[in-house]
């Protein structure tokens, strides 16, 4: 029987930490909201739905790369015995990488730490990964940094560690933020440890806009649900019916931006965040950035953070980059 060990019940999608986060971002100019707040239970479900959309190629491309290179990925990572996945979501990608549990093992992993801000996603991922496998699975309902430090601290000498950061989650960081975060990952690793990371590649604007503003309106719902989440958890008074979803390709910065545009002037009270302000008609709240990379630039960023790229995989359509690097 697989021991399933659960972390502390710190729900980051509600409570004081959400309030502080929202206060910080909403008082910036222009107003912003933290993209991690997109992932309450409904938000996580809507993101899973996005991954099924024909216009959102990220997940499909990455899944194909993982499925075709399961052994190669573990080899390039130096056959780690411990794995930490940051932002595991529903766990389906890691499940695919580990392969069917009734097949001979192609890896030497015996301990997995799953880190995600969404407790609902973590519960599902923990079940999917651990239930049929002879592995220890630990869950950390924490932000990346906190989960990473906690999970890495539990490693035992002689074990090789691999951090996985899939799904182009790195794309939510701006370049200085990405550099700092890669350095944070490097700092918990020892030379020879590995990082397996996925990054979405630059593609034509029309394709990017369809991926982030789909004809079914799922991405719009995902974006607007952030306000539903804040209305529920912080007693905020956003009039959700008056917002529209907007996706913009910022070519100079190489990022897709998601915004929420208020159609009317509306007073907003967020008592639990101690905020009270007026949103103007046409005023936008910036909710997410999804940076798109070129292979060379991405490898350079890894090198600057103290990693040496070992191997990479790109799908036939040139949509997505999966890369294994080793800590120097
Ligand atoms: C989960 C952050 C990789 O940026 O593509 C999907 C989230 N936002 N559609 C991304 C997202 C809009 C996604 N990441």
């Amino acid at each position: 029987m697989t021991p399933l060990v659960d972390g502390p019940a710190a729900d980051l999608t509600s409570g004081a930490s959400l309030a502080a986060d929202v206060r910080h971002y909403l008082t910036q100019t222009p107003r912003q909201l933290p993209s991690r707040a997109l992932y309450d239970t409904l938000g996580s479900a809507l993101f899973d739905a996005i991954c099924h959309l024909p216009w959102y190629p990220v997940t499909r491309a990455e899944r194909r790369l993982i499925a075709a290179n399961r052994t190669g990925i573990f080899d390039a990572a130096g056959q780690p015995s411990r794995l930490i996945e940051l932002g595991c979501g529903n766990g389906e990608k890691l499940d695919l990488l580990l392969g069917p549990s009734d097949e001979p093992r192609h890896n030497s992993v015996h301990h997995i730490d799953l880190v995600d801000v969404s407790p609902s996603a973590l519960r599902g991922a923990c079940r999917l990964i651990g239930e049929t496998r002879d592995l220890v699975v630990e869950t950390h309902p924490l932000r990346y940094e906190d989960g990473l430090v906690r999970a890495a601290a539990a490693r035992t000498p002689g074990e090789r560690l691999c951090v996985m950061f899939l799904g182009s989650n790195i794309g939510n960081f701006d370049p200085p933020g990405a550099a700092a975060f890669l350095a944070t990952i490097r700092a918990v690793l020892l030379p020879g440890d590995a990082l397996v990371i996925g990054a979405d590649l630059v593609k034509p604007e029309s394709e990017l806009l369809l991926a982030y503003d789909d004809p079914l309106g799922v991405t719009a719902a995902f974006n607007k649900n952030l306000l539903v989440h804040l209305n529920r958890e912080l007693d905020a008074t956003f009039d959700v019916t008056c917002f529209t979803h907007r996706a913009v390709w910022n070519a100079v910065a190489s990022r897709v931006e998601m915004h929420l545009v208020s159609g009317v002037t509306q007073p907003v009270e967020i008592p639990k965040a101690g905020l009270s302000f007026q949103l103007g008609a046409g005023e936008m709240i910036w909710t997410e950035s999804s940076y798109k990379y070129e292979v060379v630039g991405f490898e350079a960023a890894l090198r600057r953070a103290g990693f040496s790229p070992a191997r990479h995989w790109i799908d036939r359509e040139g949509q997505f980059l999966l890369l294994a690097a080793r800590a120097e």
Side-chain angles (χ1 to χ4, degrees):
M1 191 44 208
T2 305
L4 301 178
V5 188
D6 264 310
D11 189 344
L12 291 176
T13 58
S14 60
S17 124
L18 178 67
D21 228 12
V22 163
R23 203 187 150 74
H24 171 79
Y25 281 93
L26 260 186
T27 52
Q28 308 284 312
T29 314
R31 293 188 199 282
Q32 301 173 34
L33 280 167
S35 43
R36 66 173 78 85
L38 290 162
Y39 301 93
D40 63 348
T41 300
L42 178 55
S44 293
L46 287 167
F47 176 67
D48 286 347
I50 288 173
C51 295
H52 292 284
L53 295 173
W55 306 279
Y56 188 75
V58 176
T59 315
R60 255 185 317 281
E62 189 176 37
R63 284 186 63 93
R64 271 199 293 270
L65 288 176
I66 290 172
N69 299 287
R70 287 190 290 146
T71 308
I73 293 167
F74 281 110
D75 285 343
Q79 287 297 345
S81 48
R82 278 180 94 97
L83 245 168
I84 302 174
E85 185 176 4
L86 304 174
C88 62
N90 61 22
E92 283 178 6
K93 285 174 297 217
L94 183 54
D95 182 57
L96 191 63
L97 178 64
L98 293 171
S101 47
D102 52 358
E103 269 183 21
R105 284 282 289 270
H106 63 294
N107 64 74
S108 43
V109 175
H110 68 81
H111 187 115
I112 295 183
D113 290 285
L114 301 174
V115 178
D116 204 285
V117 286
S118 168
S120 64
L122 266 183
R123 275 192 294 275
C126 185
R127 228 175 289 127
L128 181 65
I129 301 301
E131 220 159 43
T132 60
R133 295 187 178 92
D134 187 21
L135 291 169
V136 180
V137 182
E138 234 178 301
T139 60
H140 308 274
L142 297 169
R143 292 182 189 183
Y144 298 142
E145 290 84 349
D146 300 334
L148 177 68
V149 168
R150 208 175 85 127
R155 75 150 356 147
T156 46
E159 287 189 309
R160 177 163 285 153
L161 197 60
C162 175
V163 171
M164 314 213 74
F165 197 35
L166 304 175
S168 199
N169 286 337
I170 187 78
N172 281 164
F173 290 92
D174 63 12
F181 187 58
L182 290 173
T184 300
I185 296 175
R186 174 62 190 85
V188 305
L189 298 180
L190 296 173
D193 285 343
L195 170 65
V196 174
I197 186 163
D200 200 24
L201 295 170
V202 174
K203 42 188 120 326
E205 177 173 13
S206 57
E207 292 174 27
L208 287 168
L209 292 181
L210 274 173
Y212 288 85
D213 192 2
D214 64 271
L216 292 189
V218 183
T219 310
F222 173 65
N223 196 10
K224 290 181 200 174
N225 174 61
L226 206 163
L227 302 176
V228 180
H229 178 192
L230 300 188
N231 284 353
R232 182 186 65 244
E233 294 299 333
L234 301 178
D235 296 338
T237 62
F238 290 105
D239 184 350
V240 182
T241 60
C242 293
F243 284 88
T244 49
H245 164 71
R246 182 172 295 161
V248 180
W249 168 241
N250 182 332
V252 175
S254 194
R255 68 183 181 223
V256 179
E257 300 168 2
M258 287 206 315
H259 300 272
L260 289 163
V261 190
S262 177
V264 297
T265 302
Q266 57 177 299
V268 177
E269 310 282 336
I270 314 183
K272 290 187 176 167
L275 282 177
S276 169
F277 59 93
Q278 182 105 326
L279 262 187
E283 191 173 344
M284 310 212 285
I285 304 176
W286 183 7
T287 53
E288 187 186 55
S289 295
S290 279
Y291 283 82
K292 304 302 169 188
Y293 284 93
E294 310 273 8
V295 180
V296 173
F298 195 68
E299 287 187 334
L302 284 168
R303 283 204 188 84
R304 282 194 298 271
F307 289 99
S308 51
R311 219 180 136 177
H312 73 248
W313 301 266
I314 298 173
D315 60 301
R316 209 177 303 129
E317 291 84 34
Q319 304 262 23
F320 198 86
L321 169 70
L322 187 66
L323 197 149
R326 304 290 285 275
E328 283 166 2

